[in-house]
Amino acid sequence: MSNTISSPKSPPSPQTGVFGRMASWSQRRRRLALLLWVLTVAVITVGSQAAGSAYHNDFALPGTDSQAASDLMEKHGSLQAGATVQIVFKDSRGLTADRAAIDAMLNKVRGLPSVTGVQPPGPGSVSEDGTIGYATVTLDGSAEDVPAEHVTKIIETAQAAEGGGLQVELGGDPVRGAEEEGGGGAEGAGMLAALVILVLLFGSLVAAAVPLVTALFAVGGAVGLIALASHVFTVADFTPPIMMLIGLGVGVDYALLIFYRYRHELRRGADPSEAARTALDIAGRTVFFAGCTVIIALLGLVVLGLGSLQGVALAVALTVLVTMAASLTLLPALLAVLGGRIQRSVLKRRDRSRDDRWRRMAAAAQRRPVAALVVAVAGLLALSAPALDMRLGFADAGNDPESSTSRQAYDLLAEGFGPGFSGPLIVVTEGPASSAAQLKTTLEQTEGIAATTPPLPSKDGAVNTVIAFPEGAPQDESTAELVHTLRDDVLPDLSDETGSTYLVGGPTAATQDFADSVAQRMPLFVAVVVGLSAVLLMVVFRSVLIPIKAALLNLLSIAAALGAITLVFQDGRFGAQPGPIEAFIPVMIFAIVFGLSMDYEVFLVSRIHEEWERTRDHAHAVREGLAATGRVITAAAAIMIVVFAAFVLSPSRMLQQFGLGLAVAVLLDAVVIRCLIVPAVMQLLGRWAWWLPAPVAKRLPRVALERPS
């Protein structure tokens, strides 16, 4: 029967390339291919669950003042080298009546694992009105090293003392880490929305499930691999939700690009086996190239040398690699199993194509290319403008949910001791005690510092620390300026006077160092990623202007996405709490969006180039290229948008920023850039779009994404 799958032994076309041959193998041995994928994912999943994960945040920044201060305190046994937890008390009647209960609870805390010391409330740690006080619990490691279950036990023990008007809350980085922040139901919501879009696109639940199943296999395998790899490499604990965010979006995207070409070949009369080989041979090359571009962009993050960020980049790159492998090997096997049912569904909907609307859209942009270009670019530049004032940093307890104990402790400390109390600066000096005394005097006289502690000596007495409390909150711009003022003006003068060295450390200073490091290294990172991607595009399309156009438009969409994040999360629009943008968000969004944008760039321009080679009619090639890809690009973008946007519902501020940035970037890239700006620019370039100097052409290898029909 014509609607059944052709013989699995039918030989591939002589013109079939490597991806077509891979598809042919997967189809002939579809049961083996499916079994291998099921077994591989099952083994990885079972192995990762048995071994557990060893995620670890590494925010070390060699060469910075904060890291030097931390190393110095650790070397000489300073108590400030370990992480601390603040147990905060409030009783509107005064804490005096609660003293017995507080002391009894603190005695229990002293005996808990990872606790090295407890400083009870006393002079300087009780508010002037006597209603708010805090005890300091010193731990035996950094916030990243202390097991979360140990911190949870401290929280439970402390809060058991509540009652009779006494409120007990706990703050500090270890507490924030112990309060789990996952993606919530974001992944499920994104998958459900993706399934709805696919069903509307294909009109068949079976056809819609194929790209989704491919993505799920890829993500499942990648997450398990990274959990195992975390025992060997440094992988941040926020990596899994980011992997799922990217893996689901990219997985459906890649499978959809191939599947859409498969449907196109079925409509042209090919049998399912031949349609799959052709789809993999043509769209598979596009997916392979696009995936390599994403991986290159992510690996560009390695040049930043920023601790945990390198692990995140490698993890997401591995996710894209596994996703690409699933699209090229698992998808053909699924098509071989379900090809007959999909073919019947496709042929029933054969006359429902709406490609003409994309031709009309391209023609409209071609008729007035300058006007279309000016309006679209002006809109994107306007949305990008807020990014010029972007302030990098990290969310602190002040951004936590109001119901969390870390947020309650933060608010109580600000109420009792001032807004800067939760973000102290730890100034370290190595030298005589007189240098530390002069340091305290100097800090007290520095504008922007509300209070200081007496010098705190290390165990060997070689190092002293003075804790300075800023007048502003940890995230305030004034606090960041204070860090720079101390390092650039105040402490160098004091060092000249005393002959001692002074270092500004602590979590607030380390946050500023991380943000400064990202800002300083960003230009190199952008140059590496844009340069390598431009070279790849030049090789594929044998053009100078196409890579330049792609790079500029990708940068424009990324800038607009960062502008949207700034408006919402820094300026506090749409109900979001204002604060700095997470320091690694811009570089991660740049790497991921730049790579993903290349998907659509390559998919669209390769079809335009295919028509150009066939007809040599440039205007016609642009219209037909958009008509052939407009619907699938829009559908793929819609799926990625809903998956990414679902993470805005996450309780994690970092994931909210990630989700919004990626969703906005993909929306602008697929709608404004691909459907409006690209046709206008290609019309203005005309035949020059494919210009390549002869000397360069001779040296470039020939790589074709499209295959002659």
Side-chain angles (χ1 to χ4, degrees):
M1 293 191 305
S2 61
N3 287 345
T4 59
I5 302 175
S6 61
S7 171
K9 295 184 179 181
S10 57
S13 166
Q15 293 183 325
T16 300
V18 61
F19 298 119
R21 292 194 294 272
M22 289 172 60
S24 180
W25 182 91
S26 293
Q27 287 191 311
R28 291 197 310 273
R29 295 172 173 82
R30 49 188 175 274
R31 291 188 178 87
L32 176 60
L34 291 172
L35 180 62
L36 287 175
W37 267 100
V38 170
L39 288 177
T40 300
V41 174
V43 169
I44 291 173
T45 301
V46 172
S48 63
Q49 290 180 346
S53 61
Y55 297 117
H56 176 75
N57 295 339
D58 176 18
F59 294 111
L61 290 172
T64 62
D65 270 19
S66 59
Q67 187 63 45
S70 176
D71 293 342
L72 194 61
M73 288 188 290
E74 187 174 352
K75 176 182 177 182
H76 293 281
S78 174
L79 290 177
Q80 285 70 44
T84 59
V85 169
Q86 289 80 42
I87 304 178
V88 188
F89 312 97
K90 180 179 181 180
D91 192 328
S92 57
R93 303 167 301 174
L95 296 177
T96 305
D98 304 304
R99 194 69 202 201
I102 292 173
D103 289 342
M105 178 268 290
L106 293 179
N107 284 332
K108 294 180 182 178
V109 171
R110 285 188 179 91
L112 295 178
S114 297
V115 175
T116 61
V118 177
Q119 181 67 39
S125 58
V126 177
S127 62
E128 291 183 2
D129 62 5
T131 61
I132 298 176
Y134 67 92
T136 301
V137 180
T138 305
L139 306 180
D140 60 4
S142 67
E144 291 79 26
D145 294 330
V146 176
E149 57 268 23
H150 292 182
V151 180
T152 302
K153 187 62 177 177
I154 295 173
I155 297 173
E156 294 171 349
T157 303
Q159 292 191 327
E162 282 190 328
L166 178 64
Q167 179 184 358
V168 181
E169 306 292 348
L170 290 91
D173 288 338
V175 175
R176 297 189 68 222
E179 293 183 300
E180 294 182 358
E181 283 193 336
E187 298 92 338
M191 293 296 289
L192 180 61
L195 181 60
V196 170
I197 293 173
L198 287 170
V199 170
L200 292 175
L201 177 67
F202 297 134
S204 165
L205 186 60
V206 173
V210 171
L212 213 53
V213 169
T214 305
L216 286 174
F217 268 86
V219 172
V223 170
L225 284 175
I226 292 303
L228 293 172
S230 67
H231 292 276
V232 181
F233 304 102
T234 300
V235 182
D237 58 10
F238 53 81
T239 302
I242 293 179
M243 289 175 59
M244 287 186 280
L245 173 74
I246 303 304
L248 291 177
V250 172
V252 175
D253 195 44
Y254 289 173
L256 182 57
L257 294 182
I258 295 173
F259 188 67
Y260 203 83
R261 185 71 189 215
Y262 170 75
R263 292 174 71 250
H264 174 75
E265 295 300 322
L266 288 178
R267 286 179 173 175
R268 293 178 59 181
D271 63 76
S273 295
E274 182 61 29
R277 285 195 296 270
T278 303
L280 265 293
D281 198 32
I282 299 175
R285 302 184 202 188
T286 303
V287 166
F288 179 77
F289 175 82
C292 289
T293 307
V294 177
I295 292 171
I296 288 173
L298 287 164
L299 295 182
L301 288 172
V302 176
V303 306
L304 292 176
L306 297 176
S308 290
L309 202 58
Q310 295 175 309
V312 175
L314 292 172
V316 178
L318 177 63
T319 303
V320 174
L321 182 63
V322 175
T323 298
M324 190 166 57
S327 299
L328 298 176
T329 58
L330 174 61
L331 180 60
L334 292 173
L335 293 178
V337 173
L338 303 172
R341 297 179 63 180
I342 294 173
Q343 184 185 38
R344 288 191 292 272
S345 174
V346 168
L347 295 179
K348 285 180 183 178
R349 295 168 57 89
R350 188 166 191 161
D351 296 326
R352 300 182 188 179
S353 173
R354 292 173 173 81
D355 292 345
D356 284 344
R357 71 174 59 172
W358 301 105
R359 290 189 183 90
R360 291 195 297 270
M361 186 180 298
Q366 287 177 314
R367 282 195 297 271
R368 295 178 177 83
V370 175
L373 187 61
V374 169
V375 171
V377 171
L380 292 177
L381 288 176
L383 186 55
S384 304
L388 296 174
D389 297 322
M390 179 182 288
R391 185 163 53 87
L392 301 180
F394 284 103
D396 59 23
N399 299 113
D400 291 348
E402 293 184 0
S403 60
S404 66
T405 188
S406 56
R407 172 64 181 275
Q408 295 284 344
Y410 180 94
D411 291 341
L412 288 178
L413 290 173
E415 177 186 343
F417 304 95
F421 192 85
S422 295
L425 305 177
I426 301 176
V427 187
V428 185
T429 178
E430 187 175 18
S434 59
S435 297
Q438 287 179 275
L439 170 63
K440 173 177 169 57
T441 302
T442 301
L443 292 175
E444 289 176 337
Q445 297 171 352
T446 301
E447 184 179 355
I449 293 180
T452 63
T453 65
L456 305 171
S458 60
K459 290 181 179 179
D460 62 6
V463 167
N464 285 276
T465 60
V466 175
I467 301 177
F469 299 98
E471 292 179 350
Q475 295 181 1
D476 287 353
E477 194 170 355
S478 62
T479 303
E481 292 174 355
L482 176 61
V483 172
H484 290 301
T485 299
L486 289 174
R487 289 173 172 172
D488 300 338
D489 301 324
V490 176
L491 296 181
D493 292 341
L494 181 60
S495 181
D496 292 340
E497 181 182 337
T498 63
S500 298
T501 301
Y502 301 94
L503 299 169
V504 181
T508 301
T511 294
Q512 189 58 44
D513 285 340
F514 195 96
D516 290 343
S517 297
V518 170
Q520 291 167 4
R521 303 175 195 184
M522 187 76 171
L524 173 62
F525 166 65
V526 171
V528 169
V529 172
V530 172
L532 289 176
S533 301
V535 170
L536 285 175
L537 284 178
M538 185 183 298
V539 170
V540 170
F541 294 118
R542 304 189 69 77
S543 164
V544 172
L545 297 179
I546 291 292
I548 294 175
K549 170 192 69 68
L552 291 176
L553 294 182
N554 287 351
L555 290 173
L556 192 56
S557 67
I558 292 168
L562 295 179
I565 294 175
T566 305
L567 277 175
V568 174
F569 291 100
Q570 183 172 305
D571 297 346
R573 305 293 177 88
F574 304 106
Q577 186 173 2
I581 304 303
E582 300 289 319
F584 54 83
I585 288 291
V587 290
M588 287 296 295
I589 285 183
F590 180 90
I592 294 168
V593 171
F594 196 90
L596 294 180
S597 296
M598 287 298 179
D599 292 3
Y600 304 140
E601 176 72 18
V602 170
F603 197 64
L604 171 58
V605 176
S606 63
R607 290 305 297 268
I608 294 175
H609 190 243
E610 187 176 354
E611 288 296 321
W612 160 252
E613 290 288 339
R614 189 174 65 86
T615 65
R616 292 292 162 173
D617 183 339
H618 184 75
H620 170 79
V622 173
R623 287 193 298 274
E624 290 304 309
L626 188 60
T629 62
R631 195 174 181 214
V632 66
I633 285 178
T634 304
I639 290 169
M640 297 185 82
I641 289 166
V642 297
V643 170
F644 294 156
F647 280 77
V648 177
L649 305 175
S650 168
S652 167
R653 182 179 173 89
M654 179 268 293
L655 287 179
Q656 291 174 359
Q657 294 179 10
F658 232 131
L660 178 65
L662 292 176
V664 170
V666 172
L667 174 64
L668 295 175
D669 191 80
V671 177
V672 179
I673 291 179
R674 302 298 156 216
C675 298
L676 191 60
I677 296 181
V678 169
V681 171
M682 295 294 286
Q683 180 68 21
L684 292 172
L685 291 178
R687 293 173 176 266
W688 285 99
W690 314 110
W691 172 73
L692 183 69
V696 178
K698 291 180 181 178
R699 289 173 172 79
L700 285 182
R702 288 189 173 273
V703 178
L705 290 183
E706 64 276 346
R707 191 190 71 186
S709 300

